Amino acid sequence: MSLTKTERTIVLSMWSKVSTQADSIGTETLERLFTSYPQTKTYFPHFDLHPGSAQLRAHGSKVVAAVGEAVKHIDNISGALAKLSELHAYILRVDPVNFKLLSHCLLVTLAARFPVDFTAEAHSAWDKFLSIVSSVLTEKYR
Amino acid sequence: MVHMTDAEKKLVTTMWGKLDVDAAGAETLGRVLVVYPWTQRFFGHFGDLSSACAVMDNPKVQAHGKKVLHSLGDGLKHLDDLKHFYAALSELHCDKLHVDPENFRLLGNVLVCVMSRHLGAEFTPQVQAAYQKVVAGVANALAHKYH
């Protein structure tokens, strides 16, 4: 699965808006994840997960920054996220199902914040893009 | 059976009241067909589905999307009894329509995205969580009679 030229353009164009609110989008995405899917909190026993927590904000920023890296290197997401891929495979070992949950929560956040830009085509392009990112992050699992 | 608090059920009803159910229904089904194009396999008789625009503007898609969402809306009054409420529809989807229940999960999540788009900041993490329970419950209820 790879993005068409049109899909790439759509992702890049939405990203330019996302990047201006990157940190709060990251935080909101994680809040949605932990609220809708409480089982995902099992990966963060060492975190204060209350809304507004500094750790939540920092981690949200990290996650969106990684998405940004993938956007920046949209023609070579595998290369751009190689280190993160190893981290997830050997250290974090987050069950693959959770990438779908996180991706969904990011889409919900984008929909809430960019109702006009989040057209059916943008929804499709971003769902596909996040699906590719998720595959890259789990490709070394076994 | 969905395990929801009274507060969650109230949130669900309140938010549903703010939705243009016809528009949201049309948009939800349209987006399912665009984002997950393999779902078009059930709608060969709907006419032009050749592009995102064609899908979203397709009158059959819009009409069917409305139907689906109104049915979901009816289910909101039976959150303690979804399996019973959707028993006949479940049999229909299995025996006549031959729909893989995975499609109910896809539609549920697209509905959550559409509600988020329509309601914006009001679609808080708590509202989303309540609706994730609803769509999961409805999907399970629709799959319950499969054999």
Side-chain angles (χ1 to χ4, degrees):
Chain A
M1 182 169 45
S2 65
L3 297 170
T4 64
K5 272 208 186 97
T6 311
E7 287 165 340
R8 261 170 250 204
T9 307
I10 292 172
V11 169
L12 264 96
S13 136
M14 174 91 79
W15 178 256
S16 67
K17 300 197 173 192
V18 170
S19 56
T20 64
Q21 302 174 29
D23 288 358
S24 69
I25 284 177
T27 310
E28 183 179 329
T29 298
L30 289 181
E31 272 177 18
R32 289 182 180 282
L33 182 71
F34 297 138
T35 311
S36 280
Y37 309 107
Q39 68 273 20
T40 56
K41 294 189 288 187
T42 56
Y43 292 98
F44 300 94
H46 53 299
F47 265 30
D48 166 14
L49 294 178
H50 290 108
S53 103
Q55 282 179 310
L56 201 57
R57 251 179 300 132
H59 199 67
S61 300
K62 232 185 211 174
V63 168
V64 172
V67 173
E69 275 306 291
V71 174
K72 206 156 76 184
H73 303 275
I74 202 162
D75 294 327
N76 181 19
I77 297 174
S78 239
L81 300 186
K83 284 255 137 61
L84 257 187
S85 181
E86 283 170 14
L87 181 74
H88 283 77
Y90 306 128
I91 317 287
L92 302 178
R93 292 173 288 185
V94 171
D95 190 289
V97 73
N98 295 291
F99 294 98
K100 275 199 176 151
L101 303 181
L102 181 69
S103 298
H104 171 64
C105 289
L106 178 54
L107 290 181
V108 173
T109 304
L110 294 183
R113 292 185 181 221
F114 306 109
V116 175
D117 300 275
F118 196 68
T119 60
E121 276 174 316
H123 183 166
S124 185
W126 270 86
D127 191 280
K128 201 170 159 185
F129 168 66
L130 292 174
S131 183
I132 294 170
V133 170
S134 302
S135 295
V136 166
L137 291 177
T138 55
E139 78 190 352
K140 298 176 182 171
Y141 269 41
R142 56 175 171 172
Chain B
M1 191 179 145
V2 275
H3 295 282
M4 294 177 73
T5 64
D6 287 340
E8 282 177 318
K9 288 182 195 172
K10 188 140 194 248
L11 258 184
V12 164
T13 315
T14 306
M15 288 300 146
W16 194 255
K18 301 189 183 218
L19 208 59
D20 176 345
V21 177
D22 287 355
E27 186 180 334
T28 297
L29 184 61
R31 281 175 184 258
V32 170
L33 298 174
V34 169
V35 180
Y36 310 108
W38 53 93
T39 58
Q40 292 174 20
R41 69 190 300 283
F42 301 108
F43 301 103
H45 52 298
F46 269 23
D48 188 6
L49 300 177
S50 59
S51 67
C53 278
V55 171
M56 302 308 285
D57 291 342
N58 184 309
K60 286 187 171 172
V61 171
Q62 291 172 350
H64 195 66
K66 264 169 69 168
K67 202 185 197 181
V68 167
L69 213 62
H70 278 285
S71 174
L72 205 143
D74 291 341
L76 297 185
K77 301 169 198 147
H78 301 268
L79 288 176
D80 292 330
D81 193 23
L82 287 173
K83 289 189 167 127
H84 197 227
F85 183 72
Y86 285 116
L89 264 181
S90 178
E91 282 173 9
L92 179 79
H93 281 77
C94 173
D95 299 332
K96 298 265 147 51
L97 305 176
H98 311 293
V99 176
D100 179 341
E102 181 58 26
N103 292 287
F104 308 141
R105 286 160 199 120
L106 290 182
L107 189 131
N109 278 334
V110 170
L111 172 60
V112 167
C113 288
V114 168
M115 288 190 73
S116 183
R117 201 181 79 77
H118 284 222
L119 299 172
E122 280 194 288
F123 199 70
T124 62
Q126 289 68 29
V127 173
Q128 178 187 351
Y131 269 94
Q132 297 291 172
K133 288 186 184 181
V134 169
V135 300
V138 172
N140 287 339
L142 282 172
H144 187 67
K145 290 287 199 174
Y146 274 56
H147 59 97

